[in-house]
Amino acid sequence: MREILPALSRWYASGTPFGLATVVAVSRSAPRGPGAAMAVGPDDEVVGSVSGGCVEGAVFELAKEVVESGESRLHTFGYSDADAFEVGLTCGGEITLLVRPVSPATDAGFGEVAASVAEHRPVVSATVLDGPAPRGAALAVWPDRVAGTLGSEGLDAAVTDDARGELAQGATGQRHYGAHGERREDDVTVFLQSFAPPPRMLVFGAIDFAAAVARIGLFLGYRVTVCDARPVFATPKRFPEGVEVVVDWPHRYLSGTETDDRTVVCVLTHDPKFDVPLLEVALRRPAAYIGVMGSRRTHDDRLKRLRDTTLGPAELTRLRSPIGLDLGARTPEEVAVSIAAEIIALRWGGSGTPLSGTAGAIHPPVLRPV
C-alpha cells in the first residue's frame, strides 16, 4: 500500500472514484501477503499488485465493476487446473481480496490515512469484510483519535481498542465481532491493516559499501540513516536520495537514537576506535539485527576487545560477524545483497539454503515477522 499511495492520494484529491483491491487473507503458497494492494484509477491506470501477475487481469475488471456499482465485493482466487478459462494462482495458493470503491463520498477518512502513512505517523485502517455491517465501511484509528464508522457505536469502540493493540505490534489481519462489537461473537469480520512507521536501518561508516547498503535498505522499505564521524565522507551527495546522513561519533549518535525490535544496525567501519564503543551501545539496545563488517582476523580481534568490556556472553551472541551470507560477493552491490539476504533470512527464519535443495512449503506459516 505504501508504494501506491502517491497515485491513490492524487486520485482521491481529484474526487475521482477508484477501485482498491486489498489482500485480506491468504493460504498456502500465496505470492503476496495480507495488505498487498492494487488499484485501478482514471483512464484505467493501474498501480500495485496482489499476486505478482496471476490474477491481476481479473482484479482489474472487478475494480472497474465496483466503481461502477458503488458496492464492495469480497472475492477469493485459488489454483484451478480443471477449467482452463478460470483465473487461478499457479503457485497453488489462495488469496481473498476486498475490492471496494474509494472516493471522498465513500470514505471520508482515506485522505487522512494516506497523509499519515506518507508522514510515517502510525494509523490503522479498519474495513468491514462481511456480516450485517456494511461491507467496505471504513474506520481510521490513530493512537489518539478515530475517523469514520463501521455502522455501530459498539463495533467502533471494540475495533478501536483492538486496532491500537495491533498497531503497537505492527500487525495486520482479521478480527471477528458481534454486530455491536461483542467479543465472543463472529457475525462481523473486520480487516485491520496497520501502518506503523517503517523500521529503521542504521548504517555506520560512510564507506563505498554504505551507499549500496543504504540503497537496498530503501528498496526493502527501511528508513535509512548513515552515520560517520568524518565529515569528508558523510556527505548527502554520496548517498541515494531519501537517506539521512549524520556527522557524529557512532556510539554517541546511537546512544541518543531510539531503536526497537525491528531496527537493523549495519556497522561497516571496521575500525576499533569506532566499532567497540558503538557495539557496546548497540548490543544492549533493542534491535532485530546487528551485523559488523570485517575479515575473520578483524572479527577475532573485535571479539577480544569486546570481551574486555562489560558485555556478557548473551549480548555477544547477538553479533552477526562477519556480516552477510556467503554468496561469494565482491563488489559493494553484491555485498549489500548478501547483507540484505541475511537480514531477510533472520527476519523470516529462512535457512539461506537454495530452494532447489529443500522440500515442503516455500512460505511456511509465520505468526509475525521480527
Side-chain angles (χ1 to χ4, degrees), residues 6-20:
L8 304 190
S9 298
R10 184 176 72 251
W11 298 340
Y12 188 85
S14 73
T16 305
F18 59 89
L20 177 62

Side-chain angles (χ1 to χ4, degrees), residues 12-339:
Y12 188 85
S14 73
T16 305
F18 59 89
L20 177 62
T22 305
V23 177
V24 297
V26 301
S27 67
R28 300 189 296 277
S29 297
R32 303 293 304 274
M38 169 182 160
V40 179
D43 301 321
D44 291 343
E45 182 181 353
V46 178
V47 294
S49 171
V50 291
S51 73
C54 299
V55 302
E56 268 68 6
V59 176
F60 174 82
E61 298 299 334
L62 275 173
K64 293 178 66 176
E65 289 173 14
V66 301
V67 169
E68 184 176 345
S69 68
E71 296 181 357
S72 300
R73 294 178 60 178
L74 198 65
H75 196 93
T76 298
F77 292 98
Y79 179 80
S80 173
D81 56 10
D83 184 349
F85 296 98
E86 183 173 344
V87 175
L89 297 178
T90 57
C91 61
E94 191 173 88
I95 61 173
T96 299
L97 305 177
L98 174 68
V99 189
R100 65 187 183 102
V102 179
S103 69
T106 60
D107 188 346
F110 184 87
E112 284 190 274
V113 171
S116 294
V117 175
E119 296 165 8
H120 305 316
R121 290 185 282 120
V123 63
V124 176
S125 175
T127 314
V128 173
L129 302 183
D130 211 354
R135 177 175 290 162
L139 177 72
V141 181
W142 290 267
D144 57 350
R145 63 190 177 94
V146 299
T149 181
L150 302 182
S152 159
E153 184 176 341
L155 182 59
D156 288 348
V159 170
T160 296
D161 285 345
D162 287 346
R164 287 175 176 154
E166 296 291 272
L167 186 60
Q169 299 294 327
T172 287
Q174 297 184 16
R175 287 294 186 99
H176 303 277
Y177 307 89
H180 300 285
E182 297 88 347
R183 298 285 183 176
R184 296 187 178 183
E185 298 181 23
D186 59 1
D187 299 323
V188 181
T189 303
V190 179
F191 181 64
L192 301 179
Q193 185 170 9
S194 296
F195 294 98
R200 299 200 65 181
M201 173 181 281
L202 305 177
V203 182
F204 295 96
I207 62 174
D208 51 356
F209 289 89
V213 172
R215 188 175 297 109
I216 205 166
L218 290 175
F219 178 76
L220 292 176
Y222 287 93
R223 174 188 164 198
V224 181
T225 299
V226 175
C227 175
D228 198 303
R230 302 164 295 181
V232 67
F233 295 114
T235 60
K237 66 181 181 182
R238 298 185 64 227
F239 296 94
E241 183 179 356
V243 172
E244 178 187 30
V245 180
V246 174
V247 179
D248 200 351
W249 279 84
H251 72 282
R252 185 167 60 192
Y253 174 76
L254 184 58
S255 295
T257 300
E258 185 177 350
T259 64
D260 60 27
D261 291 337
R262 301 181 303 154
T263 302
V264 166
V265 177
C266 298
V267 182
L268 311 182
T269 49
H270 49 75
D271 184 330
K273 69 176 178 289
F274 294 119
D275 292 359
V276 174
L278 170 60
L279 291 171
E280 280 193 82
V281 176
L283 291 170
R284 294 191 174 99
R285 301 288 296 274
Y289 175 89
I290 302 171
V292 191
M293 178 174 279
S295 67
R296 297 196 186 279
R297 178 180 295 180
T298 300
H299 168 70
D300 292 340
D301 177 70
R302 183 188 295 122
L303 272 183
K304 181 178 181 300
R305 294 171 185 268
L306 289 171
R307 290 190 183 105
D308 290 337
T309 69
T310 57
L311 290 168
E315 292 162 324
L316 291 176
T317 58
R318 299 179 62 203
L319 194 62
R320 315 287 293 194
S321 175
I323 196 170
L325 294 187
D326 179 15
L327 304 182
R330 294 291 187 273
T331 68
E333 291 74 19
E334 290 174 343
V335 170
V337 170
S338 79
I339 293 170

Side-chain angles (χ1 to χ4, degrees), residues 349-368:
S351 66
T353 303
L355 289 171
S356 60
T358 65
I362 294 175
H363 303 293
V366 176
L367 294 178
R368 183 170 290 127

